[in-house]
Amino acid sequence: MNEYIYAIVFGILIGVVARIIMLRTDYRQYPTNLHGKIIHLSLGFIAASLGAMAVPALMEQEYTAITFLTLAASQFREVRNMERQTLTEIDELELVSRGKTYIEGIAISFEGRNYLVILTSLVGTLVYILFNVYVALITGLICLIIAKSLMSGSTLKDIVAIDHHPLHFKDAGLYIDNIYIMNIGLKARQEEILKYGMGFILTPKNMNVITTIANLGQRQAILHDVSISLGVFRDSGTPALTPLIKRDLDDGRIGVFILPQVREVEKAAEIIGAVPVLENAIRMPSQSRTHNKNEEADL
Amino acid sequence: MNIEKAILAVITTDKAKIDGGAPIFLCDDLEEMQVVAANLEAIMDGIAHALSENLYIIVKH
């Protein structure tokens, strides 16, 4: 046993704890219970070991040892590929698909979490060696809190106002408020849709949001999350019963047409509000310098 | 080239209005049209869209 063994064990432990905290299986049922979780915990353990080992290696002036961190990077990029592949395969067989943007978002966050684990272990081990176990414990706690806050993004209710609007037909056209959704020819289908469907209008709170919610991936994510949480009134071979989101080109509002199995307006609005804003859908035109320059010139 | 949408069938009561490519189903009245369209929709996994009261198309999306 060498002098670093406790520090390394401590670093690994704190890293694994960080991974456990960041590993949630929620309504999305992802990662899948048990096996999916074991995969991610094992990878988290590897990440934690790499992070913990880096500091003693540096202290022993084994500078080349630091190169294995690059190995870690490529390893975890592989994690991202793995997640992407699995989810894409599964997506084809979903009644309401997740969409590529959502999948990419999940894959990115799985990779990112592993780096957070490395960082937590690294800092934990470093502080343990430099000071003592108590300081290391406090630092570890701070790291966990930071990791937790880095992990959670904003949700739709932060960026849009959600209002329920009844569906109506104008001839064969299905509308929510003034937003055209689709053409349904059969009378029987129309009645079904009026009975089981539900309409919501999401009004963007500012200009950046207009582009974000217009993103097709973000829209698909809303439909997917709602159908996961409330069920969906459709089957394969009934393309007329497809939840859809269309956009009002005038002002950027979007009309969300859903077919939930559980028809509770309050609950549906709450679930739409809890849909994560996908990082790949976020656009910030207001941060563009050229744009702002023009705006100033206009004033 | 990939064709994503296609008209699979046309259902109408007015023969004068249609001609050409897709299979055409002539019906006697609007009620029969509803039945034929509903069946075709189910069989073809398409959606029955109404272009006018007596002209429906089945579209594969």
Side-chain angles (χ1 to χ4, degrees):
Chain A
M1 281 227 307
N2 66 30
E3 56 197 304
Y4 297 122
I5 195 78
Y6 289 115
I8 291 175
V9 169
F10 176 82
I12 294 177
L13 274 181
I14 201 91
V16 171
V17 169
R19 190 68 191 98
I20 292 173
I21 288 177
M22 287 188 285
L23 190 68
R24 284 183 314 175
T25 300
D26 53 13
Y27 66 95
R28 281 163 277 208
Q29 257 304 305
Y30 202 81
T32 48
N33 264 327
L34 210 55
H35 291 93
K37 274 192 170 171
I38 286 172
I39 291 174
H40 287 291
L41 284 180
S42 319
L43 285 164
F45 175 78
I46 295 172
S49 315
L50 286 169
M53 243 73 105
V55 178
L58 275 183
M59 301 239 160
E60 291 298 316
Q61 304 193 330
E62 296 278 352
Y63 296 123
T64 46
I66 212 76
T67 50
F68 65 52
L69 284 181
T70 56
L71 187 84
S74 59
Q75 173 72 27
F76 295 124
R77 231 182 358 257
E78 206 45 51
V79 171
R80 181 158 147 196
N81 285 334
M82 175 189 88
E83 286 308 322
R84 184 192 296 128
Q85 265 166 17
T86 320
L87 285 169
T88 313
E89 297 280 310
I90 296 171
D91 210 34
E92 287 168 17
L93 298 175
E94 298 266 4
L95 275 181
V96 178
S97 66
R98 266 198 183 86
K100 288 211 163 87
T101 318
Y102 203 172
I103 290 178
E104 206 53 40
I106 294 175
I108 284 180
S109 62
F110 273 108
E111 186 184 357
R113 284 169 198 182
N114 278 310
Y115 295 132
L116 282 176
V117 168
I118 294 188
L119 216 65
T120 310
S121 301
L122 197 129
V123 172
T125 319
L126 184 70
V127 174
Y128 191 107
I129 293 173
L130 290 183
F131 304 98
N132 56 42
V133 64
Y134 301 109
V135 184
L137 266 177
I138 293 166
T139 323
L141 268 180
I142 295 170
C143 280
L144 293 184
I145 292 165
I146 293 174
K148 182 97 183 146
S149 71
L150 278 180
M151 193 195 76
S152 44
S154 57
T155 52
L156 268 189
K157 64 176 172 298
D158 304 328
I159 63 168
V160 293
I162 302 162
D163 303 298
H164 176 248
H165 281 259
L167 303 164
H168 61 95
F169 277 97
K170 213 183 275 171
D171 296 329
L174 171 64
Y175 285 84
I176 303 174
D177 201 14
N178 63 335
I179 301 176
Y180 175 77
I181 303 292
M182 63 172 151
N183 180 310
I184 299 287
L186 294 176
K187 289 277 172 301
R189 276 281 175 276
Q190 292 191 0
E191 279 159 24
E192 237 169 40
I193 282 175
L194 288 179
K195 186 175 169 199
Y196 294 104
M198 223 186 255
F200 289 91
I201 296 274
L202 309 191
T203 317
K205 287 184 180 166
N206 64 51
M207 177 192 131
N208 292 336
V209 175
I210 295 179
T211 346
T212 305
I213 59 169
N215 184 296
L216 293 175
Q218 179 66 54
R219 294 196 222 171
Q220 193 59 41
I222 298 173
L223 296 176
H224 177 80
D225 270 11
V226 173
S227 348
I228 288 294
S229 308
L230 297 177
V232 60
F233 184 81
R234 80 169 301 217
D235 195 5
S236 62
T238 56
L241 299 172
T242 304
L244 271 180
I245 298 185
K246 292 285 175 184
R247 185 178 183 214
D248 184 345
L249 293 173
D250 262 342
D251 50 14
R253 291 176 310 148
I254 56 171
V256 182
F257 161 60
I258 52 173
L259 291 151
Q261 214 112 50
V262 181
R263 295 197 296 284
E264 286 174 39
V265 175
E266 296 283 306
K267 212 177 235 174
E270 225 169 87
I271 285 162
I272 294 176
V275 173
V277 180
L278 304 181
E279 38 182 291
N280 293 317
I282 297 175
R283 296 287 176 275
M284 293 280 186
S286 67
Q287 303 286 324
S288 144
R289 273 198 212 120
T290 328
H291 171 90
N292 288 341
K293 205 160 60 189
N294 288 342
E295 199 119 288
E296 277 160 27
D298 285 346
L299 295 173
Chain B
M1 198 180 78
N2 243 350
I3 298 174
E4 281 182 5
K5 300 189 179 194
I7 298 181
L8 301 175
V10 180
I11 304 130
T12 185
T13 55
D14 188 0
K15 176 119 176 55
K17 285 204 169 173
I18 37 130
D19 202 353
I24 297 159
F25 294 80
L26 274 179
C27 299
D28 294 333
D29 50 41
L30 296 182
E31 224 162 89
E32 193 190 344
M33 267 183 66
Q34 290 282 334
V35 177
V36 173
N39 271 328
L40 281 173
E41 187 184 76
I43 295 164
M44 314 292 286
D45 285 359
I47 304 182
H49 293 299
L51 296 183
S52 66
E53 207 187 24
N54 58 1
L55 180 60
Y56 283 16
I57 52 174
I58 307 285
V59 177
K60 183 89 178 172
H61 287 276

